[in-house]
């Protein structure tokens, strides 16, 4: 075939391609611009909503982690100077947030707001790499909406947000390996995912999703020699994981607390997870699961319809299995101990984002397989508008409330989190640098707010009321610390949730606390929690305040008697 004929055929092919683009396609620069504008709007709106909630009073888990962050910044040693049932990465991440954003509820919430917004962006780019790029915007919207859910306390600075961020960052690195198969993406993914597990152990449940993205990448890049070429990603992921494990183990070994860490993250939780049975808690499980599906129906409909088509098509079957695995992983993540606390369910932010994105990708493929057209962009925009508007309309009272204390009360009921903030504000005005504060209860957020340190490492009384054999020793230690160090301020919380006694467990710590306070301190404040609202009495007002009746929930604030 002569050169003129070949050139002519190339011209014809070029003309056909150009015509096809004009008739059916849309230039990537325009489609990307539209999607980036949508992403920016989503991020801006949810940033605005979260920022309005920055002053919601801290609950006790937030307060505990934030206070531990302060102790770390003081140079305290994990598992000796303080303890929790978590691996050490959690403590250092909260210390970093406190260091960067300040020791306040607003600072902590702003720090977590930035993490959640960055996670939404990572969801967009991860799903863009794995599925259709139009569908990625649906995933980002799904994550943004679910991660701030009122039902699952998304407005808080819970550890689940940190774990979700790291898991999705690991998935992002895997999605980059899916595109270009570079060794360093596998290494980075292993590093980050392992650190997610060292932040909260439940993160390990998403390892199945990790392996399935790895399988998708190997199949895409090495379809002819699947098993042989799987060794590289497995090796580099394992190296990344071992680096993180080695770092934390060596750090704890250097502190001389490796045995203590093993006790608190492996031994102690065994008793903690044996307090409830499935039969006594299954209704809570089903209620929460029902809430997840009933409050985001359009996202799940898009996801499940797309999953059906994805499983039918052999080319997308593995991706569909990956999406389903995330739902399974999220369910497993909330199961330990059958507690089913609302914030545990924030792990469902991951599956709802990926399932909705995959479902949207499959539905768009049915319309224009692999092609981005005006029609697919239009359908994406309409879907986003409907989902977005529905979420804003359904949650407008929550999203746009000016009463942050009411958000806390609506979420936590009779828990004294609003009262703890009021008490902290009172104490902050009276205290000076170097003063100590002991809180007899499980409300370490008061220590965090005021900047006053506890005289004892046992600042969370809920760990001393579960009936473990070690509790007698810990209780004696707490008493000795308080009697020896004589903190200036003493707060006694008369509230069942703050002590969290297990049925049948007896300890004299509660009664000792009252007796010790009366003998050594002057009463300077009372927060009286009533169904009609909390009544506060400060300083001279406490002298004429009615005595408590059995069953009353009060917080008593004491100042050490002047010698």
């Amino acid at each position: 075939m002569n050169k003129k004929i070949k050139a002519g055929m190339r011209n014809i092919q070029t003309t056909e391609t150009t015509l096809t683009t004009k008739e059916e396609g849309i230039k990537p620069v325009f489609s990307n611009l539209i999607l980036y504008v949508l992403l920016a709007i989503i991020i801006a709106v949810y940033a605005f909503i979260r920022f309005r909630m920055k002053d919601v009073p801290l609950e006790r888990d937030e307060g505990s982690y934030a206070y531990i962050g302060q102790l770390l910044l003081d140079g305290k040693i994990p598992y000796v100077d303080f303890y929790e049932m978590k691996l050490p990465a959690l403590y250092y991440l909260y210390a970093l947030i406190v260091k960067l954003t300040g020791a306040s509820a607003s600072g902590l919430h702003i720090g977590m707001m930035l993490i959640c917004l960055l996670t939404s962006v990572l969801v967009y780019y991860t799903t863009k790499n794995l599925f259709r790029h139009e569908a990625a915007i649906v995933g980002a919207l799904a994550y943004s909406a679910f991660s701030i859910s009122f039902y699952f306390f998304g407005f808080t600075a819970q550890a689940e947000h940190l774990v979700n961020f790291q898991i999705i960052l690991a998935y992002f690195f895997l999605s980059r390996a899916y595109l270009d198969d570079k060794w360093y993406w596998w290494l980075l993914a292993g590093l980050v995912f392992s650190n997610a597990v060292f932040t909260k152990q439940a993160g390990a449940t998403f390892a199945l999703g990790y392996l399935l993205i790895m399988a998708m990448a190997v199949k895409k890049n090495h379809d002819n020699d699947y098993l042989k070429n799987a060794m590289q990603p497995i090796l580099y992921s394992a190296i990344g994981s071992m680096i993180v494990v080695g770092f934390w183990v060596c750090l704890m070994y250097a502190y001389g607390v490796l045995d203590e860490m093993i006790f608190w993250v492996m031994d102690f939780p065994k008793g903690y997870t044996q307090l409830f049975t499935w039969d006594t808690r299954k209704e809570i499980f089903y209620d929460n699961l029902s809430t997840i599906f009933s409050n985001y129906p359009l996202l799940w409909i898009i996801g499940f319809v797309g999953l059906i088509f994805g499983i039918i098509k052999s080319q997308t079957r593995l991706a569909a299995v990956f999406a389903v695995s995330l739902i399974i992983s999220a369910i497993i993540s909330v199961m330990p101990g059958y507690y089913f606390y609302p914030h545990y369910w924030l792990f469902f932010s991951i599956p709802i984002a990926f399932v909705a994105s995959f479902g949207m990708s499959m539905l768009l493929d049915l319309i224009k397989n692999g092609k981005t057209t005006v029609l697919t962009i239009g359908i994406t925009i309409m879907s986003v508008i409907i989902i977005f508007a529905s979420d804003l309309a359904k949650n407008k009272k929550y999203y746009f409330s000016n009463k942050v204390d009411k958000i806390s009360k609506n979420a936590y009921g009779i828990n004294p989190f609003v009262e703890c903030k009021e008490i902290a504000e009172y104490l902050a005005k009276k205290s000076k640098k170097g003063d100590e504060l002991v809180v007899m209860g499980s409300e370490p957020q008061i220590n965090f707010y005021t900047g006053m340190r506890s005289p004892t490492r046992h600042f969370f009384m809920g760990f001393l009321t579960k009936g473990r054999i070690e509790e007698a020793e810990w209780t004696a230690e707490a008493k000795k610390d308080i009697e020896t160090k004589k903190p200036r301020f003493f707060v006694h919380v008369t509230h069942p949730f703050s002590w969290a006694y297990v049925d049948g467990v007896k300890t004299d710590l509660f009664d000792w606390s009252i007796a010790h306070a009366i003998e050594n301190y002057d009463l300077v404040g009372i927060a009286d929690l009533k169904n009609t609202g909390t009544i506060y009495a400060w300083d001279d007002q406490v002298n004429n305040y009615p005595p408590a009746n059995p069953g009353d929930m009060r917080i008593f604030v004491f100042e050490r008697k002047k010698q």
Side-chain angles (χ1 to χ4, degrees):
M1 190 180 294
N2 63 44
K3 293 180 180 180
K4 289 184 179 181
I5 294 174
K6 288 182 178 179
M9 292 180 67
R10 280 197 298 271
N11 288 335
I12 292 170
Q13 290 171 347
T14 302
T15 302
E16 288 176 346
T17 302
T18 304
L19 288 171
T20 300
T21 302
K22 288 179 179 178
E23 292 173 0
E24 297 182 356
I26 182 171
K27 290 184 178 180
V29 66
F30 294 128
S31 62
N32 286 336
L33 178 61
I34 292 169
L35 294 172
Y36 286 143
V37 169
L38 286 175
L39 180 63
I41 292 171
I42 291 168
I43 297 300
V45 170
Y46 285 105
F48 173 74
I49 292 169
R50 281 189 176 276
F51 188 79
R52 289 171 60 86
M53 299 180 187
K54 68 183 187 303
D55 293 315
V56 174
L58 300 178
E59 54 89 68
R60 59 180 59 93
D61 281 354
E62 292 177 282
S64 183
Y65 301 150
Y67 179 57
I68 284 173
Q70 285 181 323
L71 294 178
L72 267 182
L73 294 173
D74 290 345
K76 302 298 183 182
I77 298 174
Y79 308 110
V80 173
D81 297 324
F82 61 85
Y83 56 83
E84 239 284 357
M85 295 183 294
K86 307 295 187 296
L87 286 160
L90 177 80
Y91 313 142
Y92 287 85
L93 287 172
Y94 273 91
L96 179 62
I97 294 172
V98 171
K99 179 70 174 178
L100 294 176
T101 62
S104 65
S106 60
L108 194 68
H109 288 150
I110 288 172
M112 202 61 76
M113 174 192 77
L114 296 174
I115 289 169
C116 289
L117 297 177
L118 181 55
T119 307
S120 296
V121 174
L122 284 171
V123 167
Y124 173 81
Y125 281 103
T126 304
T127 52
K128 178 183 178 181
N129 292 340
L130 295 175
F131 314 134
R132 289 182 67 112
H133 76 146
E134 307 103 306
I137 197 68
V138 175
L141 175 56
Y143 186 88
S144 299
F146 191 92
S147 65
I148 199 174
S149 167
F150 170 79
Y151 304 101
F152 305 114
F153 306 160
F155 55 86
T156 62
Q158 292 289 356
E160 283 74 12
H161 289 310
L162 290 172
V163 178
N164 286 343
F165 166 71
Q166 292 175 90
I167 289 171
I168 292 176
L169 180 58
Y171 285 0
F172 168 74
F173 290 140
L174 291 172
S175 75
R176 289 305 310 267
Y178 175 83
L179 295 180
D180 57 26
D181 200 29
K182 301 296 186 190
W183 65 269
Y184 47 81
W185 297 126
W186 302 114
L187 181 70
L188 288 170
L191 280 166
V192 175
F193 189 86
S194 183
N195 203 67
V197 178
F198 265 78
T199 303
K200 194 168 185 179
Q201 295 92 310
T205 61
F206 290 91
L208 180 57
Y210 187 107
L211 295 174
L212 286 168
I213 299 179
M214 182 186 292
M216 290 163 60
V218 173
K219 184 178 180 181
K220 171 181 173 289
N221 296 311
H222 306 284
D223 198 31
N224 59 335
D225 199 349
Y226 189 85
L227 293 177
K228 180 181 177 180
N229 288 286
M231 294 309 298
Q232 176 178 313
I234 291 173
L235 175 63
Y236 283 113
S237 291
I239 291 173
S241 181
M242 287 188 290
I243 289 172
V244 169
V245 173
F247 170 78
W248 289 117
V249 169
C250 288
L251 182 62
M252 295 303 104
Y253 179 80
Y255 278 136
V257 296
L258 197 56
D259 289 341
E260 288 81 359
M261 181 186 78
I262 292 172
F263 170 79
W264 281 107
V265 302
M266 296 183 69
D267 187 18
F268 186 87
K270 292 176 183 177
Y272 184 78
T273 57
Q274 293 172 0
L275 299 177
F276 298 113
T277 64
W278 169 252
D279 287 339
T280 60
R281 305 287 288 183
K282 62 184 178 182
E283 288 187 11
I284 299 175
F285 173 83
Y286 290 127
D287 284 346
N288 285 333
L289 201 61
S290 174
T291 299
I292 286 174
F293 291 106
S294 63
N295 281 278
Y296 305 91
L298 187 55
L299 289 169
W300 290 112
I301 290 170
I302 291 172
F304 288 139
V305 171
L307 281 174
I308 293 171
F309 289 107
I311 291 171
I312 292 172
K313 291 178 65 176
S314 60
Q315 302 95 318
T316 56
R317 192 169 296 146
L318 190 57
V321 172
F322 159 69
V324 172
S325 79
L326 298 180
I327 299 175
I328 297 171
S329 295
I331 291 173
I332 296 172
S333 73
V334 303
M335 295 302 290
Y338 306 125
Y339 281 81
F340 304 134
Y341 290 144
H343 61 87
Y344 290 3
W345 298 78
L346 288 173
F347 283 128
F348 273 83
S349 303
I350 298 176
I352 195 172
F354 281 84
V355 169
S357 183
F358 176 77
M360 192 69 186
S361 182
M362 292 305 304
L363 294 176
L364 292 176
D365 270 350
L366 291 175
I367 299 168
K368 291 290 182 182
N369 187 25
K371 295 179 181 178
T372 300
T373 68
V374 174
L375 180 59
T376 61
I377 289 292
I379 291 172
T380 301
I381 292 173
M382 288 304 300
S383 299
V384 168
I385 290 173
I386 294 170
I387 296 168
F388 208 176
S390 173
D391 183 57
L392 295 178
K394 183 182 295 185
N395 296 288
K396 62 183 178 181
K397 289 184 179 179
Y398 162 54
Y399 284 167
F400 305 111
S401 172
N402 292 317
K403 300 176 181 178
V404 292
D405 288 355
K406 188 175 180 180
I407 292 175
S408 179
K409 284 296 182 183
N410 288 342
Y412 296 107
I414 62 173
N415 272 291
F417 304 144
V418 172
E419 290 75 16
C420 286
K421 189 175 182 180
E422 292 287 335
I423 289 168
E425 290 175 356
Y426 169 81
L427 290 174
K429 294 175 183 176
K430 293 177 68 73
S431 64
K432 63 180 185 297
K433 188 175 181 179
D435 285 342
E436 289 186 324
L437 160 69
V438 63
V439 180
M440 301 303 289
S442 301
E443 312 300 342
Q445 62 271 30
I446 304 179
N447 293 97
F448 174 72
Y449 286 136
T450 60
M452 289 189 280
R453 303 299 183 249
S454 172
T456 178
R457 67 185 185 127
H458 305 288
F459 57 80
F460 202 92
M461 297 302 145
F463 283 126
L464 306 181
T465 59
K466 300 297 181 287
R468 288 187 62 96
I469 192 171
E470 299 91 349
E471 288 175 14
E473 179 184 345
W474 296 339
T475 298
E477 181 184 337
K479 292 178 183 178
K480 182 179 179 181
D481 289 338
I482 295 167
E483 291 170 343
T484 302
K485 296 181 181 179
K486 300 179 173 62
R488 180 182 172 188
F489 297 103
F490 191 107
V491 173
H492 177 87
V493 185
T494 305
H495 196 292
F497 294 170
S498 196
W499 286 83
Y501 274 100
V502 173
D503 290 343
V505 173
K506 293 183 179 180
T507 170
D508 69 341
L509 189 58
F510 185 90
D511 293 336
W512 174 90
S513 172
I514 296 174
H516 182 80
I518 292 173
E519 181 180 352
N520 298 282
Y521 291 82
D522 293 320
L523 182 65
V524 295
I526 297 173
D528 189 0
L529 285 75
K530 297 181 177 296
N531 293 332
T532 55
T534 300
I535 300 173
Y536 297 94
W538 304 114
D539 300 319
D540 292 341
Q541 296 173 346
V542 305
N543 296 327
N544 299 317
Y545 201 82
N549 296 313
D552 282 356
M553 292 181 291
R554 293 186 179 184
I555 304 177
F556 299 96
V557 183
F558 298 90
E559 184 176 6
R560 193 158 190 89
K561 292 178 179 179
K562 292 180 174 57
Q563 299 299 323

